[in-house]
Each structure stands twice: as structure tokens, then as C-alpha cells.
């Protein structure tokens, strides 16, 4: 069992930055790819970013490319999401998740992820 705890969310004006953290416990995350998803009120949870086991490969949703950066420090059992140039449409609850499957075209699908955190709220004002 892996427990994931997101933190770092908050209220920020458009154009500002936030850095989210996902701290894992119960098991080392070095065997997992990790991803961030987000869910706005009344909308489906959507893929944001993914990072492979050693941080050598990353993938991003088109909506956040060039603005968000996912990273990980396996020695700290932690994954990060640096969010720059934030927009009001980035407002959502952000979730961290684990993925033990090999990389494929299905990496954006929620069903392939094994464990999820409780989420952290990000609110971007206009």
C-alpha cells in the first residue's frame, strides 16, 4: 500500500507560480512512474503530467506544456509539479498518482494508475 499526500496548493493571481509536492509513504516510489492529474468542479479528472521511474522521460498535457514542470527525487520519495504562468483555467484540485505499467499511449488514462493522493486545491484568480 502506498499513501500519497499532496501539498503546496493555494490561491495565486494569474501569472504567478506554485510548486506542488507529492510525498509518498508505505513503499518506495522508485519502481513507479508518477503523474499529476487535476479536476475542476463539475468536470472530469484530466491528465496533467507524467514522469518515468528515474525522471528521464516526461509527458505533459498540451494545455500546460511550457508552463508546468514535473520532477522527482526518489531519495526523498517525493514528486513535484512546478507551475508557472498560472491561468484561471488551471484552477482545480491537483492529484498525484502512481503507475507501475510500462510506458504506452494509454499514459493519460486514469484507469492505469494504482494509488492516488487526497488532492490539493489550486485557485488562480484573474
Amino acid at each position: 500500500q502506498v499513501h500519497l499526500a499532496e501539498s503546496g496548493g493555494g490561491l495565486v493571481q494569474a501569472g504567478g507560480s506554485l510548486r506542488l509536492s507529492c510525498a509518498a509513504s508505505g513503499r518506495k516510489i522508485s519502481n513507479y512512474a508518477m503523474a499529476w492529474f487535476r479536476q475542476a468542479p463539475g468536470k472530469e479528472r484530466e491528465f496533467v503530467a507524467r514522469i518515468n521511474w528515474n525522471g528521464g522521460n516526461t509527458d505533459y498535457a498540451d494545455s500546460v506544456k511550457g508552463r508546468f514542470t514535473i520532477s522527482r527525487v526518489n531519495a526523498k520519495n517525493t514528486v513535484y509539479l512546478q507551475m508557472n504562468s498560472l491561468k484561471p483555467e488551471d484552477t482545480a484540485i491537483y492529484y498525484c498518482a502512481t503507475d507501475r505499467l510500462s510506458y504506452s499511449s494509454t499514459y493519460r488514462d486514469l484507469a492505469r494508475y494504482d494509488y492516488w493522493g487526497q488532492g490539493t486545491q489550486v485557485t488562480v484568480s484573474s
Side-chain angles (χ1 to χ4, degrees):
Q1 183 70 37
V2 179
H3 179 257
L4 303 175
E6 301 94 337
S7 62
L11 175 64
V12 64
Q13 288 189 314
S17 298
L18 286 173
R19 190 189 193 195
L20 307 183
S21 297
C22 172
S25 60
R27 187 175 181 179
K28 294 181 179 180
I29 63 170
S30 58
N31 291 330
Y32 296 94
M34 304 292 292
W36 288 94
F37 288 78
R38 66 187 182 186
Q39 187 168 20
K43 296 185 178 180
E44 296 182 357
R45 192 169 300 184
E46 65 176 359
F47 170 80
V48 175
R50 183 180 186 272
I51 188 167
N52 78 330
W53 70 275
N54 67 355
N57 296 99
T58 57
D59 294 281
Y60 298 92
D62 289 342
S63 60
V64 306
K65 285 182 179 178
R67 300 188 299 119
F68 291 10
T69 302
I70 187 171
S71 62
R72 68 192 298 163
V73 180
N74 285 343
K76 295 183 178 181
N77 230 30
T78 301
V79 179
Y80 304 95
L81 184 67
Q82 178 67 48
M83 305 186 295
N84 299 326
S85 301
L86 284 163
K87 304 174 181 179
E89 50 263 44
D90 295 318
T91 296
I93 300 175
Y94 283 71
Y95 298 91
C96 181
T98 65
D99 180 11
R100 63 178 179 174
L101 300 177
S102 298
Y103 181 85
S104 74
S105 61
T106 67
Y107 69 87
R108 297 174 181 264
D109 295 343
L110 276 68
R112 65 179 288 152
Y113 291 87
D114 306 292
Y115 299 102
W116 295 82
Q118 84 289 347
T120 185
Q121 177 70 48
V122 172
T123 302
V124 184
S125 62
S126 60

